[in-house]
């Protein structure tokens, strides 16, 4: 858990005043409904999954960008952002990623009957693209396989036994189409 957390990561300053509402208001709400969404996806009830799909996408976006690595990724693209601007850009990107993921095929895979469970990475939401060699400079910290690329899959462990995989529909229909 420590690799996903850091003191004052979302604090904005207005003169002498420190504001932590991004954590205490925004993320608290996202975490609350995200927990319900995760339970629905693990449970597999299609009605519950349908009802919790939008909250799950919001939760995934927050989990992808709110970490030190996620914020470093934003800074690597927009190095001149102030802390306040960084927090705003995080919100815009979170929504953009949610839109991209909404158009994906999703599946939940299980390791319940396996002695080997899912591995945790340095990021709660990871991406993978089989066409990218592991040594590709595009994958150097803080980057990962771009979510916008057709062959990129988004991976999110729901718990030790369940993994959510989001795959762009064209790639899901024809995995051989990406080189």
């Amino acid at each position: 858990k420590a690799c996903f957390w850091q003191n004052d990561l979302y604090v904005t300053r207005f003169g002498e005043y420190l504001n932590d509402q991004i954590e205490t208001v925004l993320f608290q709400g996202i975490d609350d409904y995200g927990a319900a969404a995760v339970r629905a996806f693990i449970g597999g009830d299609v009605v519950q999954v349908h009802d919790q799909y939008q909250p799950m996408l919001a939760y995934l976006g927050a989990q992808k960008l709110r970490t030190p690595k996620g914020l470093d990724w934003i800074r690597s693209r927009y190095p001149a952002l102030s802390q306040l601007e960084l927090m705003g850009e995080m919100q815009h990107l979170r929504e953009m990623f949610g839109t991209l993921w909404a158009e994906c095929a999703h599946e939940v895979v299980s390791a319940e009957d396996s002695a080997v469970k899912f591995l945790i990475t340095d990021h709660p939401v990871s991406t993978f693209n089989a066409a990218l060699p592991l040594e590709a400079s595009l994958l150097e910290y803080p980057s990962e396989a771009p979510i916008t690329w057709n062959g990129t899959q988004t991976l999110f462990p729901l718990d030790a036994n369940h993994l959510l995989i989001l795959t762009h529909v064209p790639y899901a229909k024809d995995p051989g189409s990406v080189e």
Side-chain angles (χ1 to χ4, degrees):
K1 284 185 174 180
C3 66
F4 305 139
W5 179 87
Q6 185 175 318
N7 276 333
D8 299 333
L9 201 53
Y10 322 108
V11 170
T12 54
R13 291 169 172 43
F14 299 98
E16 297 290 319
Y17 178 72
L18 299 179
N19 182 320
D20 68 349
Q21 287 187 329
I22 290 173
E23 177 64 32
T24 59
V25 177
L26 175 69
F27 286 142
Q28 185 60 56
I30 290 172
D31 289 345
D32 289 347
Y33 62 72
V38 166
R39 285 191 298 276
F41 274 66
I42 291 170
D45 179 300
V46 293
V47 173
Q48 286 296 316
V49 169
H50 173 78
D51 290 345
Q52 295 295 328
Y53 203 73
Q54 191 65 31
M56 177 60 88
L57 297 177
Y59 184 61
L60 281 173
Q63 294 298 88
K64 178 80 176 148
L65 295 168
R66 74 194 277 191
T67 64
K69 182 177 181 176
L71 293 174
D72 285 347
W73 178 83
I74 297 170
R75 283 187 197 98
S76 75
R77 271 113 185 109
Y78 309 100
L81 293 180
S82 68
Q83 178 71 3
L84 188 58
E85 292 167 329
L86 176 66
M87 295 296 103
E89 191 59 28
M90 176 180 59
Q91 295 311 309
H92 295 298
L93 289 167
R94 183 177 66 83
E95 292 171 8
M96 181 188 78
F97 287 168
T99 300
L100 288 168
W101 290 324
E103 298 174 353
C104 287
H106 84 268
E107 63 182 318
V108 175
V109 295
S110 173
E112 286 180 303
D113 296 333
S114 174
V116 177
K117 302 302 178 182
F118 294 112
L119 300 175
I120 302 297
T121 69
D122 64 344
H123 213 213
V125 178
S126 297
T127 60
F128 173 77
N129 188 308
L132 279 171
L134 293 177
E135 63 279 353
S137 62
L138 184 65
L139 299 177
E140 291 177 7
Y141 182 93
S143 295
E144 293 182 318
I147 291 171
T148 55
W149 287 15
N150 181 39
T152 298
Q153 295 178 288
T154 299
L155 311 170
F156 180 62
L158 300 169
D159 64 12
N161 289 311
H162 298 90
L163 178 73
L164 173 63
I165 303 171
L166 298 166
T167 305
H168 295 286
V169 172
Y171 180 67
K173 287 182 176 179
D174 185 11
S177 66
V178 176
E179 297 178 10

